[in-house]
């Protein structure tokens, strides 16, 4: 089955609102109709979501979509500093990263938190980009497949088959994020295949076939073709290389 590729840029804690406007403009200008077969998403920090969206709205023909980097699961209330899924929808977010390893590491997010966030997003019509991935210790001890599939099962635990339809999974080995190190494409594909099998077990054969799985971790213009050639990799979640329009668009082009 042909799955539509997706390239998502995770800007992390980079770019003020005005810097985001500039980068989004550059992306919109360098977008080419030849990329129409790829979903292109940028995930700026919360404070830049509005300006990024307004910039894209101004360029009415831009198919580039906006995503957030995190969400809180409660709909509203006394949760200082938190942002709800409805607030993200209000600024036209179509996607939201959840369970990124940096959130798990620095903000102590658990699998249960990730599941609640995914459910809150689905409730507002926003597609979660569910992150999973092993540490180097887990890989070296040979437990990668068991670890990653357990993460995915936990993250999906509150979603029915129809809820889970918009979900995108990003396989990101923790040791490859921002390090310049990557698994071989075959190693990455092995984990992505196990994720697809898990999805099939949970939601059926058709859902497994339709699931989009992204690879993330030091993806760049030099290695993208090798990842793209893998049967279970349908795109990328990109950190460093998404901060320059030229680099990010080269990755989009590779998946076109
Ligand atoms: C990420 O943060 O999701 C990521 C993959 O980062 P990088 O591309 O910089 O490794």
């Amino acid at each position: 089955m042909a799955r539509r590729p997706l390239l998502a840029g995770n800007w992390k804690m980079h770019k003020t609102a005005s810097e985001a406007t500039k980068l989004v403009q550059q992306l919109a200008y360098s977008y080419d109709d030849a990329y129409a077969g790829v979903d292109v998403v940028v995930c700026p920090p919360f404070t830049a979501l509005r300006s990024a969206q307004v910039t894209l709205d101004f360029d009415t023909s831009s198919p580039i979509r906006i995503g957030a980097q995190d969400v809180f699961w409660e709909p509203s209330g006394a949760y200082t500093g938190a942002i709800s899924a409805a607030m993200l929808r209000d600024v036209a977010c179509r996607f939201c990263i959840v369970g990124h390893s940096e959130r798990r590491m620095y903000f102590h997010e658990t699998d249960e938190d990730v599941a609640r966030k995914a459910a809150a997003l689905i409730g507002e019509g926003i597609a979660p980009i569910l992150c999973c991935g092993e540490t180097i210790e887990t890989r070296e001890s040979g437990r990668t497949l068991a670890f990653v599939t357990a993460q995915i099962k936990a993250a999906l635990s509150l979603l029915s088959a129809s809820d889970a339809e918009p979900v995108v999974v990003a396989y990101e080995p923790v040791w490859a994020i921002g390090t310049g190190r990557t698994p071989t494409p075959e190693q990455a594909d092995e984990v992505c295949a196990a994720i697809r099998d898990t999805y099939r077990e949970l939601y059926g054969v058709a859902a497994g076939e339709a699931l989009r799985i992204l690879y993330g971790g030091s993806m760049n213009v030099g290695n993208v073709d090798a990842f793209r050639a893998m049967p279970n990799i349908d795109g990328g979640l990109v950190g460093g290389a998404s901060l320059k329009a030229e680099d990010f668009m080269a990755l989009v082009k590779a998946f076109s």
Side-chain angles (χ1 to χ4, degrees):
M1 166 187 197
R3 291 176 291 269
R4 192 175 160 82
L6 190 155
L7 252 288
N10 174 14
W11 293 6
K12 311 194 187 197
M13 199 170 72
H14 296 289
K15 307 292 176 191
T16 61
S18 59
E19 289 166 348
T21 301
K22 199 168 153 200
L23 180 51
V24 162
Q25 269 168 352
Q26 288 168 346
L27 291 169
Y29 290 149
S30 46
Y31 186 88
D32 189 293
D33 285 347
Y35 311 153
V38 182
D39 284 341
V40 183
V41 181
V42 292
C43 303
F46 288 136
T47 49
L49 286 172
R50 189 70 172 173
S51 47
Q53 184 55 43
V54 167
T55 308
L56 288 173
D57 277 351
F58 186 72
D59 182 356
T60 46
S61 63
S62 179
I64 298 173
R65 300 285 174 237
I66 296 289
Q69 297 175 21
D70 187 35
V71 66
F72 188 54
W73 56 80
E74 291 292 346
S76 62
Y79 303 104
T80 302
I83 300 285
S84 71
M87 290 169 178
L88 296 181
R89 198 182 47 142
D90 188 47
V91 287
C93 282
R94 304 285 189 90
F95 294 85
C96 179
I97 299 169
V98 277
H100 192 281
S101 62
E102 289 155 11
R103 300 277 333 158
R104 295 178 191 259
M105 190 174 3
Y106 300 121
F107 302 94
H108 313 294
E109 256 181 41
T110 64
D111 284 341
E112 291 71 33
D113 296 342
V114 175
R116 285 194 270 191
K117 290 180 177 196
L121 290 167
I122 292 292
E124 291 296 337
I126 299 171
I129 301 178
L130 280 184
C131 298
C132 58
E134 80 288 0
T135 61
I136 194 66
E137 292 77 21
T138 302
R139 175 155 286 274
E140 284 172 353
S141 66
R143 291 180 295 120
T144 296
L145 297 186
F147 180 84
V148 170
T149 54
Q151 271 187 327
I152 286 298
K153 279 185 186 158
L156 295 168
S157 60
L158 301 177
L159 302 184
S160 66
S162 62
D163 287 343
E165 254 173 55
V167 168
V168 176
V169 171
Y171 166 55
E172 300 205 305
V174 178
W175 50 275
I177 297 178
T179 59
R181 293 176 65 194
T182 63
T184 65
E186 291 75 16
Q187 283 173 324
D189 194 64
E190 181 190 27
V191 183
C192 294
I195 293 168
R196 196 174 301 291
D197 285 345
T198 303
Y199 216 78
R200 259 191 217 111
E201 263 171 45
L202 292 171
Y203 301 122
V205 175
E209 279 308 298
L211 174 68
R212 292 193 287 185
I213 307 178
L214 316 181
Y215 167 74
S218 300
M219 185 181 264
N220 59 39
V221 283
N223 60 28
V224 62
D225 286 336
F227 288 111
R228 188 198 52 81
M230 294 293 114
N232 289 291
I233 296 179
D234 308 307
L237 179 56
V238 184
S242 71
L243 295 173
K244 276 175 69 184
E246 197 188 341
D247 292 350
F248 189 58
M249 277 304 162
L251 301 183
V252 172
K253 187 176 177 193
F255 276 94
S256 300

